[in-house]
Amino acid sequence: MAVYQKLPASEAETGVAATGTPRLARLADVLRALSHTLGLVLFAFVLSVFLLGGPPAFEPLRGPGFHLEKSFRRDPLEYVLGNGWDVNSTPATRNYNWTISEIEAAPDGILRTLIVIDGQFPGPLVECNEGDTIVVDVYNGATNSTSLHWHGQYQNGTNWMDGTAGVTNCPIPPGKSFRYEFTVREQWGTYWYHAHFSTSRIDGLFGPFIIHSPRENIQGDTDRVVMVHDYYHDLSAALLPWYLAPGNENDEPVPDGALINGMGVCSTCEPSSGKLATFALDKGKIHRLRFINVGAFAEFDVEIDQHELSLVEVDGVEVEPYSLHRFRINVAQRYSVLLYANQPADSYWLRARMIAHCFAEIPEDLKPEVLGIIRYTSNEEAPTTKGWGEAMELECKDLNTSEVVPAVVMSAPEPDVLIYLRSNFEIGAYRLSRGFFNKTSWRPAEVPTLAQAVNGLWRANRSFSSEGILSAYDINRQMVYRIDGTKTVDLLVDNFDDGNHPFHLHGYKFWVLGQGRGYFDKSTYATLNTTNPLRRDTVTIEAYGWVLIRFVADNPGMWAFHCHIAWHAEAGMLMQFLTRPDIVAGWRVPEDVKGHCAHPEDQRGGGIPDEDFYELAKRPSGGE
């Protein structure tokens, strides 16, 4: 026990310590105060290490499994759009500054590596008005290269900002930065952004992109984003070699579960630290829910217990209200629905169920349904409501939109050209199963195909000059179809594969003229409904089926058309359209794009060359 002694009266009164003079006494007081202050600072620092996470150097002090929710889980309120947004404001520049990095996190209770933006998952909301300019400065602090694609954006005049690695640009190497800058014109509604470099979007690089406009007439009291997606407990870079390896023959990795806005509960974890997404909706009001399938592979059936829904938007196209209580949404598609919160209970289940019959096999422990909670009140008890109970369709195909009508009437003009594509998987060199369009299985070019076209057109290279499939590119790896002038193009795709494919066309929306099972009946071609058919940017072709779409090729640039299932695109199911080459011929490759392309040695990650499977291919079939 410490013993405190009282100073003699003479010393106490004079303030002179036993050591001597008043100056020394004041110095001692200063030193004691400084020591006390330093002690408080040290205490605060140690406390921050243990309670707030502290710097990376102190990771061992925190112990395994330690994390702070804020360190990775984005605040769900960021996906609620504010009522005070001014859709009539003067066009502005919206600036974002992002750092891409890797973290360890457990969105559903299983710890894994995620690739994130500014340390949080999922990505931040990008919100703007039609006419605004978007500026996003991206620093790549991750291990591998990256590139961001702004899904559904026309990028008219800014083709290099499309972010399609190997097509419009080179990816951003680790430790480097890039500025995306483009103006949003003639479109509004629900979009998203995601990594477009190998399969890295599966690992967390995605987020919502919402465009407002006074020309949109969808009315609701509240407005929010609901992202659904399949979820893997392993990095896509670890799953990809297994998927592409000889003998697997398009046996896609099966998800371990699913998430809603980055939240879910692992079905095989006891106990689980996961969380369910919760949506607070005021009773008696109408709420807009913008659903986006940001996943890699799975199609979902979505419903909300006891609530009829009104479909009002498809892929950024406003449609006349269409009543339903369950809808199917494939990878990269978006649907806005209106929900009227007029039911008697306090809370309800939101159900998003993966169509597991689309998988090559269904693991016994797979729980295909991910749940969210719709709450009218602050009561935190779990809902007790039941689903609609209708049998689920087992076919892997689009929501039936034959009766869905765009609110802005736009009839499809007569076609100038019909292009035929065959999509399938074939086993070729090294016994590898690869995705094909006709004779081409795509591989990303080291020099982007757009840069090659710009240089070739400027130099009047004859291999770039003819309409149709360009001979300038290796047809085994790059199918580029040149379309001269402003033509209306019909694209007919026949699927010879036993799986469905959500096909996405960059830079355009298209009319969906028809889709079905088997072969297209050409005798019906002249009788197709071209009076205001549905327009969208991502359409599903079912197994052994067909789809016929139409678009006006008026947007200058190089535009990818590909399956949006991440595994299929990486396996080669991508081709390109070069449109308005007369304008592209006058372009020059921007210096910042040249910078990343000039140093291929800086790039990391990406696709796996077929030759890497040489040793595996020599083994007997079946891996024996």
Side-chain angles (χ1 to χ4, degrees):
M1 182 176 70
V3 178
Y4 294 91
Q5 293 181 325
K6 187 177 180 181
L7 290 173
S10 60
E11 293 180 358
E13 291 169 355
T14 60
V16 180
T19 53
T21 66
R23 180 178 298 176
L24 289 177
R26 287 194 295 271
L27 179 61
D29 290 339
V30 170
L31 291 175
R32 280 194 295 271
L34 181 60
S35 175
H36 180 70
T37 301
L38 290 175
L40 288 176
V41 171
L42 179 61
F43 175 78
F45 177 76
V46 172
L47 188 65
S48 73
V49 167
F50 285 95
L51 296 184
L52 301 180
F58 286 84
E59 185 67 35
L61 297 176
R62 297 196 290 270
F66 181 94
H67 67 269
L68 184 69
E69 285 294 302
K70 188 178 179 181
S71 67
F72 82 92
R73 204 184 293 280
R74 190 167 298 280
D75 186 347
L77 292 179
E78 290 190 32
Y79 299 134
V80 178
L81 309 182
N83 290 329
W85 187 272
D86 184 4
V87 299
N88 297 299
S89 64
T90 302
T93 298
R94 311 281 178 178
N95 292 283
Y96 299 85
N97 198 322
W98 293 346
T99 295
I100 293 175
S101 63
E102 294 158 353
I103 63 171
E104 297 295 316
D108 69 343
I110 293 290
L111 195 67
R112 59 150 291 173
T113 299
L114 290 174
I115 307 174
V116 295
I117 296 173
D118 294 339
Q120 293 187 310
F121 169 78
L125 169 69
V126 174
E127 188 175 11
C128 69
N129 283 332
E130 179 192 9
D132 285 351
T133 296
I134 304 298
V135 177
V136 185
D137 288 300
V138 176
Y139 171 75
N140 183 13
T143 302
N144 291 323
S145 302
T146 194
S147 188
L148 293 180
H149 167 57
W150 314 92
H151 186 105
Q153 297 305 299
Y154 294 150
Q155 298 290 359
N156 190 285
T158 50
N159 194 191
W160 276 285
M161 298 296 147
D162 192 53
T164 315
V167 176
T168 60
N169 56 278
C170 293
I172 310 168
K176 304 295 183 180
S177 299
F178 186 77
R179 170 172 286 185
Y180 294 94
E181 184 171 357
F182 56 92
T183 300
V184 175
R185 298 184 180 94
E186 298 299 320
Q187 58 187 139
W188 57 90
T190 307
Y191 299 87
W192 63 302
Y193 61 86
H194 58 82
H196 215 301
F197 178 68
S198 189
T199 56
S200 57
R201 89 164 191 266
I202 301 174
D203 301 310
L205 273 182
F206 56 78
F209 189 120
I210 305 301
I211 307 170
H212 301 281
S213 173
R215 293 195 277 176
E216 185 178 61
N217 293 310
I218 298 173
Q219 301 296 323
D221 296 306
T222 71
D223 193 351
R224 69 201 65 217
V225 171
V226 186
M227 293 178 287
V228 299
H229 69 103
D230 48 19
Y231 182 68
Y232 295 84
H233 289 154
D234 207 347
L235 273 169
S236 66
L239 297 170
L240 184 62
W242 176 87
Y243 167 65
L244 294 177
N248 285 342
E249 197 168 346
N250 200 29
D251 187 5
E252 301 93 347
V254 175
D256 296 293
L259 304 178
I260 297 176
N261 280 357
M263 297 183 183
V265 176
C266 171
S267 60
T268 59
C269 308
E270 291 293 341
S272 175
S273 60
K275 290 185 175 183
L276 296 183
T278 301
F279 304 90
L281 305 182
D282 290 340
K283 193 168 185 176
K285 293 186 177 181
I286 296 174
H287 306 275
R288 180 177 183 174
L289 307 178
R290 300 173 184 257
F291 284 89
I292 312 172
N293 185 339
V294 296
F297 179 34
E299 192 171 14
F300 284 83
D301 270 351
V302 178
E303 64 180 77
I304 297 173
D305 292 356
Q306 299 177 211
H307 286 80
E308 288 279 350
L309 304 172
S310 181
L311 178 66
V312 291
E313 181 210 355
V314 176
D315 289 3
V317 174
E318 184 178 347
V319 299
E320 297 293 343
Y322 182 78
S323 295
L324 41 71
H325 56 254
R326 176 190 290 168
F327 61 89
R328 180 161 292 188
I329 183 168
N330 211 344
V331 176
Q333 294 180 332
R334 291 91 63 208
Y335 292 114
S336 277
V337 299
L338 296 181
L339 176 149
Y340 183 22
N342 61 349
Q343 297 301 306
D346 289 335
S347 61
Y348 302 84
W349 290 118
L350 185 162
R351 305 173 187 271
R353 185 179 182 87
M354 295 185 286
I355 315 300
H357 288 81
C358 302
F359 304 159
E361 60 180 37
I362 305 175
E364 290 184 3
D365 60 352
L366 176 67
K367 186 178 180 181
E369 185 175 75
V370 60
L371 297 172
I373 300 175
I374 302 293
R375 292 196 191 281
Y376 288 176
T377 69
S378 58
N379 183 354
E380 294 187 0
E381 293 182 3
T384 58
T385 55
K386 304 294 183 181
W388 285 91
E390 296 177 351
M392 179 184 297
E393 291 187 48
L394 301 184
E395 295 89 351
C396 304
K397 59 182 183 180
D398 266 340
L399 169 71
N400 182 4
T401 54
S402 58
E403 297 179 359
V404 177
V405 180
V408 177
V409 177
M410 190 178 296
S411 296
E414 290 297 310
D416 298 301
V417 60
L418 172 63
I419 298 173
Y420 173 78
L421 290 179
R422 180 186 70 250
S423 64
N424 66 303
F425 278 79
E426 297 178 11
I427 299 175
Y430 308 105
R431 294 197 292 112
L432 302 178
S433 177
R434 290 293 182 264
F436 281 81
F437 277 127
N438 295 354
K439 298 179 180 180
T440 303
S441 185
W442 176 77
R443 299 293 183 276
E446 188 172 285
V447 177
T449 50
L450 172 60
Q452 294 182 53
V454 168
N455 292 333
L457 292 169
W458 179 60
R459 299 177 186 278
N461 186 320
R462 292 181 61 185
S463 61
F464 288 91
S465 63
S466 299
E467 189 168 36
I469 297 175
L470 293 177
S471 61
Y473 302 96
D474 178 2
I475 191 61
N476 295 310
R477 293 172 173 261
Q478 308 290 337
M479 176 164 55
V480 179
Y481 198 105
R482 169 176 165 153
I483 301 170
D484 289 342
T486 301
K487 288 188 171 70
T488 300
V489 178
D490 274 3
L491 182 61
L492 175 62
V493 186
D494 274 330
N495 183 22
F496 286 77
D497 182 40
D498 61 358
N500 80 96
H501 302 288
F503 286 134
H504 170 53
L505 177 60
H506 290 216
Y508 289 94
K509 282 190 174 63
F510 48 73
W511 291 275
V512 181
L513 300 184
Q515 56 195 130
R517 177 68 63 87
Y519 294 97
F520 172 61
D521 184 354
K522 294 183 180 179
S523 67
T524 67
Y525 189 65
T527 61
L528 292 170
N529 174 26
T530 59
T531 303
N532 199 30
L534 182 64
R535 304 185 299 277
R536 64 186 319 169
D537 59 47
T538 308
V539 66
T540 302
I541 186 170
E542 59 184 294
Y544 303 115
W546 61 273
V547 66
L548 178 63
I549 64 175
R550 181 173 294 179
F551 66 98
V552 178
D554 57 356
N555 192 6
M558 186 74 73
W559 307 107
F561 177 74
H562 65 95
C563 177
H564 220 284
I565 291 175
W567 311 115
H568 295 178
E570 194 61 22
M573 198 168 281
L574 181 150
M575 58 85 63
Q576 299 150 76
F577 291 100
L578 175 60
T579 54
R580 293 306 305 269
D582 54 321
I583 295 177
V584 175
W587 290 354
R588 296 295 177 267
V589 180
E591 291 300 320
D592 52 353
V593 176
K594 283 183 182 179
H596 291 327
C597 293
H599 299 283
E601 70 277 5
D602 291 341
Q603 301 294 346
R604 297 289 183 273
I608 304 173
D610 291 359
E611 295 78 9
D612 286 5
F613 294 99
Y614 174 73
E615 292 298 327
L616 284 176
K618 291 194 298 184
R619 299 177 184 176
S621 180
E624 301 176 358

